[in-house]
Amino acid sequence: MIPAALDDLRVLDVSQGIAGPLCAKLLGDFGADVIKVEPAGGECGRSMPPFSGGEAHPEKSLFFLLTNLNKRGITLNLEEPRGADIFKELARRADVVVETFPPGYLASLGLDHPSLERQNPGLVMTSITPFGQTGPYRDYKGGEIVAYATSGIMSISGTTDREPLKHGGFQAQYEAGFNGTVATLFTLLLRDVTGEGQHVDLSVQEVVASTMVINQPFYSWTGGVQGRRRPAGTMFGNVMPCKDGYFVSQAGGGASWNDVADFYGRPDLKDERFADVNQRVINGQALDELLVEAAKDRTMGEMFKTASEQYRMLFGIAQTPADLAACAQLEARGFYQEVEHPVIGTIKVPFGLWNMTETPARYRRPAPLLGQHNLEVYGEILGYTEDDLMRLRQAGVI
């Protein structure tokens, strides 16, 4: 069997929350030895709901479970001088450190990249923070909705008659985690050539603002603003209701406008007033009424199959969690992974971010319990005995 793509790497994941842990998890999925380093009370991700069974418990956070697969876990108090020294020893033997502390915090402990690279010149440190390590906002606090607001993407979400909207979930955090993984891998590739590590400075605001691929250049070039859509007359190309849910259909793909009219079974869609894009914008409200009437007795599943297979239309359906769990496409591609966790039992989670023919992502272990691998990791890497660990525990170091 070909070795895993990253099985020669050791990663110290001292990050907390979602983006940093997700970044480190992806490295672990492809074989890196990722060691989760937490304070004795656990990182903040352990207190994030939802919890398995509805019980707030440090071993039952679904966020922590998902973003910390394929890691070993240790506890370490970085604010104790002995703890900081131990972290330095671990960093000397590591390839990557992933962290999400406020800028300047690790420097105050002597654990920032300039300090650690003196002992390990090849060390890559990936820092993921709301606004990055520099600039006037670097010390500002940030969260998911702050990232959406300050990145500009909220300003184009929703309709003009309402306040700007934010997507559900934690998309900014996930995007930052994915970008953190890619940036870390780029830096490691260069390190293999030069022998020199680097500090990767990733701003969540910049990650999300980078998704404004058209809107921001449009403003820069023309001064124009592509704002939120009008509340009426704009349903085609956006979300529309049907019998059992919602769907979207767009022009383009392999379908002509006559094909679209035939799909909806409405010959009046072939009228001159809908013949081109400009006419469809001018007569948007009438178009909305025709489409809603045409779809009100049709199901998502039937329309998706018919539009995709018979008419080659650009067509999507708004899948719910139940739909996704039963999605034949995701199932066929092995998107989900069944995880057996010692506290919460069996759970199926999203896992396959991309496929590789020879060295795919592999599930090896569930998220670690708090301090689960203290003896294993400290013994294996630093040669500590059980008595050593007992003394460190009594001193509040681990």
Side-chain angles (χ1 to χ4, degrees), residues 147-168:
Y148 259 74
T150 56
S151 70
I153 197 167
M154 194 183 289
S155 70
I156 63 169
S157 302
T159 55
T160 54
D161 61 329
R162 295 289 305 275
E163 65 277 15
L165 297 178
K166 174 192 166 298
H167 296 173

Side-chain angles (χ1 to χ4, degrees), residues 26 60 96 106 157 217 235 274 346:
L26 292 171
K60 293 187 176 182
V96 176
L106 286 179
S157 302
M235 295 187 79
F274 305 125
T346 303

Side-chain angles (χ1 to χ4, degrees), residues 268-341:
D268 40 359
L269 286 174
K270 300 178 182 178
D271 290 353
E272 187 63 27
R273 56 183 173 150
F274 305 125
D276 57 38
V277 174
N278 290 334
Q279 287 297 317
R280 292 196 285 273
V281 171
I282 294 170
N283 298 292
Q285 197 147 353
L287 180 60
D288 283 357
E289 292 171 1
L290 282 174
L291 295 175
V292 169
E293 177 64 23
K296 67 182 179 59
D297 295 322
R298 299 177 68 175
T299 65
M300 290 194 297
E302 176 273 315
M303 287 199 295
F304 186 41
K305 184 176 178 64
T306 304
S308 300
E309 297 181 3
Q310 185 173 340
Y311 291 95
R312 314 299 296 173
M313 290 171 57
L314 295 176
F315 199 95
I317 52 178
Q319 297 206 93
T320 65
D323 296 328
L324 286 174
C327 179
Q329 177 69 13
L330 297 178
E331 187 68 27
R333 288 180 55 79
F335 177 71
Y336 292 108
Q337 173 67 49
E338 191 168 270
V339 171
E340 185 67 31
H341 188 273

Side-chain angles (χ1 to χ4, degrees), residues 64-82:
F64 186 87
L65 182 146
L66 177 62
T67 58
N68 290 285
L69 297 176
N70 283 333
K71 300 178 186 179
R72 297 191 286 176
I74 64 173
T75 52
L76 183 62
N77 185 352
L78 301 180
E79 296 186 345
E80 282 286 335
R82 178 66 178 130

Side-chain angles (χ1 to χ4, degrees), residues 57 71 81 130 178 188 226 234 248 261-262 270 275 279 313 338 361 371 383:
H57 185 286
K71 300 178 186 179
F178 298 151
L188 286 167
Q226 294 182 308
T234 56
V248 293
D262 291 341
K270 300 178 182 178
Q279 287 297 317
M313 290 171 57
E338 191 168 270

Side-chain angles (χ1 to χ4, degrees), residues 116-140:
L116 297 179
E117 75 170 346
R118 285 195 284 271
Q119 299 294 319
N120 181 359
L123 183 69
V124 172
M125 177 179 282
T126 299
S127 298
I128 303 176
T129 54
F131 297 101
Q133 301 292 308
T134 59
Y137 299 169
R138 57 162 256 166
D139 295 321
Y140 289 7

